[in-house]
Amino acid sequence: NAGVTQTPKFQVLKTGQSMTLQCAQDMNHEYMSWYRQDPGMGLRLIHYSVGAGITDQGEVPNGYNVSRSTTEDFPLRLLSAAPSQTSVYFCASSYSGLSYEQYFGPGTRLTVT
Amino acid sequence: AQKITQTQPGMFVQEKEAVTLDCTYDTSDQSYGLFWYKQPSSGEMIFLIYQGSYDEQNATEGRYSLNFQKARKSANLVISASQLGDSAMYFCAMRNTGNQFYFGTGTSLTVIP
């Protein structure tokens, strides 16, 4: 049982490049989400999904796209990277319902130059 | 609008003493879940404790307890008998009926030997 996996662990992009951060979970969780963590800002929700084929925007969705074609996978796409997107990105999953905690992946440290 | 407020950017506690980390939240939902997570310097997010909005008793998990005061909209984390390994960032989070999680900006706890 691998839990939540994220790739890559580190990435450096040039402004304007695009890339996809991968996230997968093997716990059959309906709910998956992406956060970015910036110093002094806590974790901010980018996008989330309550099941395959269903996605919705969080607090800071601009510049990011997601899709959920399977229960297991929830990739995050940066369309045209900007220095403001330099951050640590976490993927998380949980069962749907108020009482369920989220399980987090190890994070991806992204630098945009 | 900010949903979770953690007003203590940094806290210090003597080893073996108890410490309280403050968290207040803002929601118009009647049903919600409150969570605390620990983030050590290695970066992973570790779930500590959960409290439901309708739970009448304060949650406890080992050395962690949650001091839940619904009328004041506060959900403070109490760590008893602090250990050196408790030094970390601590995040308070709320899950609402819309399935969105909101995190506070975190409190950095340092345990002094």
Side-chain angles (χ1 to χ4, degrees), chain A residues 43-65:
Chain A
L43 279 78
R44 292 182 292 169
L45 182 64
I46 304 171
H47 286 285
Y48 65 100
S49 168
V50 298
I54 305 168
T55 63
D56 209 342
Q57 296 181 353
E59 279 181 271
V60 289
N62 292 340
Y64 307 96
N65 272 1

Side-chain angles (χ1 to χ4, degrees), chain B:
Chain B
Q2 189 174 0
K3 305 283 188 179
I4 299 285
T5 303
Q6 294 181 254
T7 57
Q8 306 155 314
M11 291 279 287
F12 292 87
V13 65
Q14 206 74 38
E15 194 178 6
K16 299 180 186 168
E17 298 291 312
V19 64
T20 298
L21 307 184
D22 294 340
C23 173
T24 58
Y25 59 92
D26 181 26
T27 182
S28 56
D29 288 353
Q30 296 302 306
S31 299
Y32 48 88
L34 297 161
F35 302 80
W36 278 90
Y37 285 84
K38 173 184 178 181
Q39 187 179 42
S41 57
S42 51
E44 72 267 33
M45 295 289 289
I46 302 167
F47 165 71
L48 296 178
I49 196 167
Y50 160 80
Q51 177 86 40
S53 58
Y54 288 112
D55 294 341
E56 294 188 352
Q57 300 230 349
N58 287 340
T60 60
E61 288 286 349
R63 294 186 299 109
Y64 304 108
S65 60
L66 201 153
N67 184 358
F68 180 47
Q69 297 186 46
K70 191 170 182 178
R72 298 178 65 180
K73 294 190 174 178
S74 75
N76 299 338
L77 177 70
V78 181
I79 306 174
S80 62
S82 296
Q83 303 171 355
L84 295 178
D86 294 334
S87 293
M89 283 289 290
Y90 289 81
F91 292 98
C92 179
M94 178 179 67
R95 185 172 196 170
N96 66 11
T97 52
N99 250 323
Q100 296 201 12
F101 276 88
Y102 295 93
F103 282 79
T105 51
T107 295
S108 175
L109 178 67
T110 302
V111 181
I112 303 165

Side-chain angles (χ1 to χ4, degrees), chain A residues 70-89:
Chain A
T70 67
T71 299
E72 294 79 20
D73 300 299
F74 191 45
L76 178 73
R77 296 183 193 83
L78 279 70
L79 309 172
S80 176
S84 60
Q85 293 179 303
T86 293
S87 188
V88 178
Y89 291 85

Side-chain angles (χ1 to χ4, degrees), chain A residues 6-51:
Chain A
Q6 288 183 239
T7 55
K9 283 189 166 44
F10 301 93
Q11 184 70 49
V12 179
L13 289 179
K14 293 189 188 307
T15 298
Q17 287 184 317
S18 63
M19 79 158 295
T20 299
L21 306 185
Q22 300 292 345
C23 174
Q25 53 93 9
D26 61 359
M27 296 173 281
N28 206 30
H29 287 161
E30 307 95 347
Y31 182 89
M32 295 187 74
S33 55
W34 277 101
Y35 297 88
R36 58 177 291 172
Q37 183 177 21
D38 303 294
M41 304 284 285
L43 279 78
R44 292 182 292 169
L45 182 64
I46 304 171
H47 286 285
Y48 65 100
S49 168
V50 298

